[in-house]
Amino acid sequence: DVQLQASGGGLVQAGGSLRLSCAASGFTFDGHLIAWFRQVPGKEREGVSCIRVGDGSTHYADSVKGRFTISSGNAKNTVFLQMNSLKPEDTAVYYCAALQTTPVMEAIDVMWPHYEYDYWGQGTQVTVSS
């Protein structure tokens, strides 16, 4: 069974940190693009960050640049999202998603939030209090 498991959410004060994990079962992240999205009720889902596990290239939404860092674990079945300097506006349910990559992915730096991802995790709540 192929599954993604997102974890690590919680309640934190503004300025604090959290680390989210996205773990794969049934496959490895090799050859995949792994992305984090977030969604607040009533609002559109927003792409937060992604990593192309094969070459380690990363992309970030402007709203989180300099505060969030995405990375992959050595075993290539876990991706982390380190979130520092959290703000109340970061409050959302965070989802991870996986997409099998092709050798050429044009304009990935702008297109990655719009791809049709193959697998989605169940979401983890992040709440930042002011």
Side-chain angles (χ1 to χ4, degrees):
D1 235 16
V2 171
Q3 283 189 346
L4 290 181
Q5 179 76 33
S7 62
L11 173 63
V12 65
Q13 287 191 328
S17 299
L18 283 173
R19 188 172 86 152
L20 304 184
S21 298
C22 178
S25 59
F27 72 112
T28 69
F29 286 154
D30 234 352
H32 285 79
L33 182 73
I34 308 302
W36 285 97
F37 292 82
R38 65 188 181 186
Q39 190 163 26
V40 175
K43 292 192 175 181
E44 283 193 9
R45 186 175 62 205
E46 176 190 16
V48 176
S49 181
C50 72
I51 182 168
R52 189 167 182 172
V53 175
D55 62 14
S57 56
T58 60
H59 303 283
Y60 297 91
D62 287 343
S63 57
V64 306
K65 275 180 187 173
R67 300 188 299 121
F68 291 10
T69 304
I70 192 169
S71 61
S72 63
N74 290 334
K76 296 194 177 177
N77 62 354
T78 307
V79 163
F80 304 100
L81 185 69
Q82 178 67 42
M83 306 188 296
N84 298 330
S85 303
L86 282 161
K87 305 175 181 180
E89 51 264 43
D90 295 318
T91 295
V93 177
Y94 284 70
Y95 300 88
C96 61
L99 171 68
Q100 190 164 7
T101 56
T102 56
V104 178
M105 298 182 77
E106 294 186 3
I108 188 175
D109 55 333
V110 294
M111 290 302 297
W112 67 267
H114 309 294
Y115 293 145
E116 289 194 18
Y117 286 79
D118 300 317
Y119 308 113
W120 288 85
Q122 85 290 1
T124 185
Q125 176 71 48
V126 171
T127 303
V128 184
S129 63
S130 56

